[in-house]
Every structure is written in C-alpha cells, then in structure tokens.
Amino acid sequence: MNSLQFLQRVIVFWDAAENPIFLRMTSHPPVWRGMAAWAARSTGLILLLGGMGCYVGTALAFYASSVLVLLIPLLAWWALLLGLTLGPVIVQEREAFTWEILLTTPLDLERILVGKAGGALWWLRDVIRVITGIVLLFALGIGLVSLVLVPFSFEGSDFPGQVLCAFSVLLPLIGALAFIADRAQHFVLMALAALAAGALAPTLRAALVAGTVAALGAWLADVALGVVAITLFGAGGVDAVLLATLGPAAAYLIEFAPGPLVGATLATLLLREIAVRALWRIVLRTARAS
C-alpha cells in the first residue's frame, strides 16, 4: 500500500461504510479515551499545565528566536496520540483471542487492517480536521514565500522575462502542493510506524509504549533526513526548528536554488515512500503470523 492509498482508505475513510471492521472499531473507544475524559474534568490541573506550557513556550520562543518552536509540543502531543491510538489495535485482538476469528472471515487481511486502523483514527477525526486546516494555512504561506524568493533565486540569470513570469505564477502553487504532499506523507509514515511497532509488541502495555516511541522516532528520522540533505547540498546552516515543525519541503525552499530544491524534495518523497511500503509489509507479515 502506498501513501496515497493509506490516506484515502484510512484517513479520509474512503470505503469505511462498506467495511464491517471499521464499524466495529468505531464502537470501541481507544485506551486513552478515559484518561482524556478525566483530564477534561480536572479544571485545576488543566489550568496549571496550560499556564506552565504558556510560560515555557514563550521562553523557548524567545530563546530560539522563532515562534515555530511553539508547534513542537503540539506535534509531540500528536505523535503521542497516534502511538496510543494505533499501537494497540492488533494486540488488543490478540489478548481478547479474537484475532484468529477475524482472520477466518471472508475479508482479506489488508481490508481487516485498514478497517481497524481507520476505525481507531475515527476517534481522532476532529483533531485530523484541525491539523488539515493548519497544514493548508501553512501551505498558503509556503506558496507566498516561494513567490517572494523567485527574484532572488534567478538573480543575475539570463532567463527570458516570460520564463521568470511563468515561474512566478507556478512556483507558489508548486511550493504549496509540495508542502501538502510532504506533510501528508510524513503523517502516513508516523501512523504506519506506530502500527508496525504495535503489531510487533507482545502485550498491550508494550504496544502502547512501542507505538508512541515509533511515531516519535519517525518524526525525528524525518528531521534527520532533512539535516543530512541540507548539510550535504545546502549553502546555509540547518534550521532544526523549521525542519521539526514545517518539515523538509519548507526548509529546502529556504536553503536550495530551484534545481536542487526539486531534486531534494523528490528524493525525500521517494525515500519516505520506500519506508512507507516497507512498514506496511512489516504490518502485513506480522499480522499474518499472529
């Protein structure tokens, strides 16, 4: 399964209504649901943690000289939610001795896994909508930044004015689409990492920890990939905060000229797609052997 198929079937719930496993999963709340309900009732704790978060976030923003650092705790929280949601979806069936029963149904293994993952993420649908809106908002900003950078990218070149005009029109759209594709694929990578790590875990508690660590690890691996690319081919320094929050596509736009920018972006998407397919094969193999 590639990234686009995973997005369609698991995140966008493409064929959810036709999948009985999905409908079954939506009636079973995830393990963090009770904790979230308890936290929602603990007004004093929320105010304390919120105040501390605002103070620490403001201090970090001043220290890093970037407001983007405020997104890091939110992204870490998102990775935690993904790990706690997708990590235990297979182990729960094993511990309830129902996984073998699911495998005997007329549904193929891929459809069972898609239904379970999509049903689990159904409980995060509101968060997914918010994150999608934020990504689209930043994509608009990336497009505007790419428009501003056009004159500097071609400064001193012999390109005809018509070519520069065409790039001025197309580059913002291409930059925005590349950013959306980069973040969507990164989300798929984190989700599949959590799912694969949870499938390999022997117990529910281990699956919760493994899924969370794997989601965070996929996030950090993506940052490391951007650091390596910019270190090898970039002319400036590495902005770790930009990489950790907006991802490699946005960082490449700042560091690279148009030629290397396209090459680095395509190489990053290709390497990530290879990892996505490898993780999905791990999930299938582990689930089949259960």
Side-chain angles (χ1 to χ4, degrees):
M1 180 179 293
N2 58 41
S3 301
L4 182 59
Q5 291 172 331
F6 190 88
L7 283 170
Q8 289 175 340
R9 301 180 64 186
V10 179
I11 311 302
V12 187
F13 315 114
W14 194 272
D15 55 357
E18 303 171 359
N19 192 328
I21 305 299
F22 173 87
L23 300 176
R24 177 174 173 267
M25 283 295 295
T26 55
S27 63
H28 293 77
V31 295
W32 51 263
R33 188 73 174 180
M35 186 179 297
W38 172 81
R41 294 191 298 266
S42 304
T43 307
L45 179 62
I46 291 177
L47 290 175
L48 176 62
L49 294 178
M52 292 177 59
C54 290
Y55 176 79
V56 173
T58 303
L60 287 175
F62 275 109
Y63 178 77
S65 300
S66 174
V67 295
L68 290 177
V69 75
L70 299 176
L71 294 177
I72 292 179
L74 297 177
L75 293 172
W77 171 74
W78 174 238
L80 174 66
L81 275 183
L82 275 182
L84 294 178
T85 302
L86 293 174
V89 294
I90 295 178
V91 175
Q92 281 179 317
E93 299 287 354
R94 289 190 200 138
E95 294 192 345
F97 301 103
T98 54
W99 183 246
E100 291 80 6
I101 298 175
L102 287 177
L103 294 180
T104 61
T105 61
L107 300 174
D108 60 84
L109 179 59
E110 182 170 296
R111 195 173 181 193
I112 292 174
L113 291 171
V114 166
K116 289 194 66 63
L121 289 176
W122 177 255
W123 291 90
L124 295 176
R125 59 191 182 279
D126 293 330
V127 181
I128 292 174
R129 291 191 188 104
V130 171
I131 291 177
T132 302
I134 293 174
V135 168
L136 293 176
L137 182 63
F138 274 106
L140 178 61
I142 296 296
L144 294 176
V145 170
S146 62
L147 177 61
V148 172
L149 292 178
V150 168
F152 298 98
S153 302
F154 291 94
E155 187 176 357
S157 66
D158 297 326
F159 284 96
Q162 294 85 347
V163 174
L164 292 179
C165 182
F167 267 102
S168 298
V169 173
L170 293 177
L171 195 58
L173 178 60
I174 294 172
L177 292 177
F179 175 74
I180 292 172
D182 175 78
R183 293 299 82 200
Q185 192 185 50
H186 179 237
F187 171 55
V188 172
L189 181 66
M190 292 176 64
L192 279 175
L195 192 62
L200 292 168
T203 64
L204 178 60
R205 183 174 298 180
L208 291 171
V209 175
T212 303
V213 171
L216 289 169
W219 179 25
L220 295 177
D222 199 60
V223 175
L225 178 63
V227 169
V228 170
I230 293 174
T231 302
L232 292 178
F233 306 108
V238 177
D239 190 339
V241 174
L242 181 64
L243 275 172
T245 52
L246 299 187
Y252 296 162
L253 181 65
I254 303 298
E255 296 294 335
F256 295 144
L261 168 64
V262 173
T265 302
L266 292 178
T268 299
L269 294 174
L270 177 61
L271 290 174
R272 209 186 278 139
E273 188 63 33
I274 293 172
V276 164
R277 291 172 181 266
L279 287 171
W280 181 247
R281 285 195 294 269
I282 291 173
V283 173
L284 287 175
R285 184 168 61 249
T286 306
R288 190 175 289 113
S290 299

